[in-house]
Amino acid sequence: MPAVLPTYARADLVFERGEGAYLFTTAGERYLDFTAGIAVNVLGHAHPKLTDALCNQAQKLWHTSNLFRVEGQERLAERLCAATFADTVFFTNSGAEALECAIKMARKFHSATGAPERHRLITFEGAFHGRTMATIAAAGQEKLLSGFGPPMPGFDQVPLGDIEAARAAITPETAGFLIEPIQGEGGIRNPGWPFLRALRKLADEHGLLLILDEVQSGVGRTGRFFAHEHAGIVPDILAAAKGLGGGFPVGACLATEHAAQGMTVGTHGSTFGGNPLAMAVGNAVLDIVLEPEFLAHVRDTGLRLRQQLAELSDAHPGMIEEVRGEGLLLGLKCSPPVGDVVAALRAQHMLAVGASENVLRLVPPLNIGEDEVREARGCLDAALTALGTDAPAAAAHHG
Ligand SMILES: *Cc1c(COP(=O)(O)O)cnc(C)c1O
């Protein structure tokens, strides 16, 4: 058995260094990276400002624990609150941990406000919230739950985008809704901004909390700081991670003062969460992402890439069924098996990642320019051409 637990079907590539939107293998081959560590490296690889922030902090202090005040945490939390709906932030090391905090907070809210029976969350089919016991139960997918014993109770699932099903699922035990504004792993599925608005209204009518999982859609990915801003609504609780540390593990649970009222001293914790290294990098990410031009650049680049994808779809009839997504959280619903498309792209030295519903995810660094968009189009064009003329061979090779 391999020394590394074989839970991943890894591509046989080893990278030695990165620069912007490019990765270089140990053999010196260059790849255009539209995976970005699964929507993580929002500023690309080895961004000098992030490298400086990390190196400077590394020379001063790495870790003290949350027994003490951490200045970087206070600063990052204040900035996140100033830029969003939130009044308060809990820092974690990953997306799943941010969700765990969100789930605990929602239960605690009702407990603290006199309705401890309200502990169940309504979640949505196709969701992905992480790999902990609570988050696999929240996602409710057999492929995540199988073999791991009884799923943690407290989640009721309804079809994505079905407001009547969401309404019908409310019981006296319901604490709130948990939803990704745009499903990432689920295949870049957007239930629509009107649906999010309807869910907000439904939550308000029933005294329920709206929890958003913006682990993938947040931190500028869709062209807004958080994707729910497109819908013109605010959540009560929000989980963020992936882009927040630009490649350094940082997660956060953001909440309003109202929703967070049960989370008093001793109710939650994390040894590593919000440590000085993570906070230094998180603050450096925000220095750039919160610049006024940055999100406009993401929206422009997203539109440009989308235009290229629409043209490619026309140029390769029968290969692309749909272009999905917002900003630089884009998906191509493919006709050929998406694994074959990923492999064909890799042969063109471009990296992209699959998602459910046979969708190819394009989640490049958010600071790419026109050159990278043009190059991506060229790689996709060549990959689709190769697949179109040689589909069975490609399938045999990589299936
Ligand atoms: C990646 C992801 C998670 C889990 O994050 P981890 O850091 O892997 O724990 C949760 N929710 C969404 C929407 C994600 O994309």
Side-chain angles (χ1 to χ4, degrees):
M1 159 169 232
V4 176
L5 190 74
T7 59
Y8 294 103
R10 297 171 192 271
D12 187 17
L13 282 174
V14 186
F15 298 108
E16 172 169 72
R17 68 185 181 90
E19 199 184 313
Y22 296 96
L23 282 170
F24 298 85
T25 65
T26 43
E29 291 191 339
R30 191 181 88 148
Y31 284 80
L32 177 64
D33 186 11
F34 271 44
T35 294
I38 317 185
V40 166
N41 302 85
V42 285
L43 300 176
H45 299 281
H47 191 289
K49 289 212 169 129
L50 301 197
T51 306
D52 281 353
L54 184 63
C55 292
N56 289 338
Q57 186 59 48
Q59 283 163 355
K60 288 193 273 183
L61 187 65
W62 289 20
H63 180 81
T64 57
S65 87
N66 288 302
L67 297 172
F68 309 99
R69 287 176 52 200
V70 178
E71 274 192 342
Q73 254 187 50
E74 293 172 8
R75 182 153 174 261
L76 186 55
E78 279 161 15
R79 297 174 79 192
L80 286 169
C81 290
T84 68
F85 72 97
D87 301 311
T88 190
V89 181
F90 181 88
F91 290 107
T92 69
N93 312 287
S94 68
E97 286 173 278
L99 265 305
E100 289 277 343
C101 180
I103 294 163
K104 286 177 72 177
M105 186 185 285
R107 290 180 172 199
K108 197 74 167 178
F109 166 80
H110 289 291
S111 167
T113 55
E117 71 284 1
R118 290 194 173 206
H119 68 283
R120 305 186 68 85
L121 290 174
I122 295 171
T123 63
F124 294 86
E125 286 173 15
F128 180 80
H129 299 299
R131 296 293 198 135
T132 61
M133 290 305 291
T135 55
I136 60 178
Q141 296 191 40
E142 187 51 30
K143 67 177 181 193
L144 302 175
L145 288 163
S146 174
F148 295 115
M152 195 187 122
F155 300 97
D156 298 302
Q157 209 164 51
V158 299
L160 183 66
D162 186 341
I163 196 69
E164 286 318 313
R167 188 191 309 276
I170 298 171
T171 73
E173 293 189 341
T174 303
F177 300 105
L178 166 60
I179 187 169
E180 296 157 84
I182 298 179
Q183 287 187 350
E185 309 298 315
I188 316 296
R189 292 168 77 207
N190 185 349
W193 310 130
F195 180 71
L196 270 194
R197 286 194 283 273
L199 211 55
R200 174 72 270 177
K201 192 155 161 278
L202 195 54
D204 291 341
E205 284 165 10
H206 293 264
L208 305 177
L209 298 175
L210 178 61
I211 307 173
L212 295 181
D213 179 349
E214 293 233 29
V215 169
Q216 190 153 164
S217 60
V219 195
R221 178 56 57 191
T222 69
R224 302 279 172 201
F225 188 42
F226 284 105
H228 66 266
E229 295 167 30
H230 291 285
I233 57 135
V234 292
D236 300 292
I237 304 174
L238 178 149
K242 290 199 165 87
L244 194 52
F248 199 91
V250 189
C253 177
L254 284 64
T256 63
E257 184 172 7
H258 181 67
Q261 63 186 280
M263 302 303 281
T264 51
V265 170
T267 55
H268 197 49
S270 167
T271 300
F272 291 127
N275 98 358
L277 291 174
M279 297 300 98
V281 181
N283 274 304
V285 168
L286 287 205
D287 286 345
I288 297 169
V289 171
L290 291 179
E291 274 173 12
E293 328 75 58
F294 189 85
L295 295 175
H297 173 81
V298 177
R299 292 193 291 272
D300 289 348
T301 309
L303 285 175
R304 195 166 290 134
L305 180 55
R306 231 195 140 91
Q307 177 63 34
Q308 302 292 318
L309 298 176
E311 285 176 26
L312 279 172
S313 177
D314 291 342
H316 297 272
M319 300 290 275
I320 297 170
E321 290 174 24
E322 193 186 353
V323 181
R324 298 174 170 182
E326 190 75 44
L328 287 171
L329 182 60
L330 293 174
L332 290 182
K333 187 164 164 58
C334 301
S335 304
V338 69
D340 292 354
V341 182
V342 169
L345 268 176
R346 208 183 294 137
Q348 303 300 326
H349 282 210
M350 175 173 163
L351 305 173
V353 56
S356 296
E357 298 200 334
N358 207 47
V359 166
L360 181 79
R361 245 183 307 175
L362 299 172
V363 284
L366 303 181
N367 56 354
I368 55 167
E370 292 186 36
D371 289 348
E372 287 92 344
V373 170
R374 208 174 302 118
E375 191 175 333
R377 184 210 163 112
C379 293
L380 279 159
D381 197 10
L384 291 172
T385 300
L387 277 175
T389 54
D390 195 21
H397 241 86
H398 306 288

